[in-house]
Amino acid sequence: MSEQFVGDKAMSAEKDTGQPAAIPTAADLRKNLLEKQLAAMERDDKIRDREREERAKFADEFFKDHVGEAERAIIRKVVMRAVADGKMEALVYTFPSDFCTDNGRAINNADPQWPETLQGKAKELYDRFKAAAQPQGYKLKAMVVTFPGGIPGDIGFFLNWEAPIA
């Protein structure tokens, strides 16, 4: 029994009539391919739109809301898990570098003035660190953790509780 392939499906050529099925034209195959490409483009557009909406919502919350108890609880869990794993440092917060006033350049270049570029929740977390955690012996390091296309992507805050080097 011969088979013909159209799209993703193999169709039996002698299924009902016992006669070979008609061979699709090249135009039919091109049309089928274009329809698949259009469907993929529409799917990609929907994904991009959803990601854009999610980023806009995240940005709105980042700049307008305060760090809530749920976020602080997550940070505590991350730290306690790192301690249980024998680590002295944990990545406790990430945010897009373009949420900094300089798009993360000061952090990327280890400029001592990097905290002045923070905004929104990142600034609030840094201020809370300075007031509550640093006096308890903690250290905070900020660094670029992703480089999409070779430019700073996300910034990470790393909380460290190692003993000071004597």
Side-chain angles (χ1 to χ4, degrees):
M1 184 182 307
S2 66
E3 292 183 339
Q4 97 182 41
F5 290 90
V6 178
D8 294 330
K9 298 178 183 173
M11 304 176 80
S12 174
E14 300 171 359
K15 191 171 186 176
D16 295 324
T17 63
Q19 298 293 322
I23 296 174
T25 66
D28 289 340
L29 294 179
R30 287 190 301 270
K31 180 182 175 196
N32 184 279
L33 180 62
L34 283 173
E35 287 171 352
K36 286 183 180 193
Q37 289 172 339
L38 284 173
M41 288 169 58
E42 288 173 3
R43 184 189 68 241
D44 292 346
D45 287 345
K46 286 179 184 178
I47 290 170
R48 274 192 295 279
D49 289 345
R50 186 173 51 244
E51 288 171 348
R52 214 176 350 261
E53 288 171 11
E54 289 172 2
R55 181 171 168 83
K57 181 181 177 200
F58 179 76
D60 190 52
E61 291 172 359
F62 183 88
F63 288 107
K64 292 182 180 176
D65 293 349
H66 293 283
V67 176
E69 184 52 40
E71 288 168 302
R72 286 191 291 274
I74 290 169
I75 291 170
R76 283 191 294 273
K77 280 184 180 181
V78 167
V79 169
M80 295 315 294
R81 169 151 304 182
V83 168
D85 290 344
K87 298 179 181 173
M88 296 292 214
E89 181 175 82
L91 174 63
V92 295
Y93 196 72
T94 61
F95 57 95
S97 62
D98 59 352
F99 287 5
C100 292
T101 59
D102 68 345
N103 294 317
R105 285 181 186 88
I107 291 171
N108 192 39
N109 293 317
D111 183 329
Q113 304 302 317
W114 67 263
E116 295 173 15
T117 69
L118 299 175
Q119 303 182 92
K121 287 185 177 184
K123 180 170 177 23
E124 185 178 337
L125 283 169
Y126 179 80
D127 291 345
R128 184 169 176 83
F129 160 78
K130 291 296 281 182
Q134 191 174 35
Q136 298 294 322
Y138 291 92
K139 296 179 257 343
L140 183 74
K141 173 173 56 176
M143 53 190 291
V144 180
V145 293
T146 63
F147 285 89
I151 59 171
D154 289 333
I155 303 292
F157 280 173
F158 293 83
L159 190 64
N160 183 299
W161 48 91
E162 253 179 321
I165 298 173

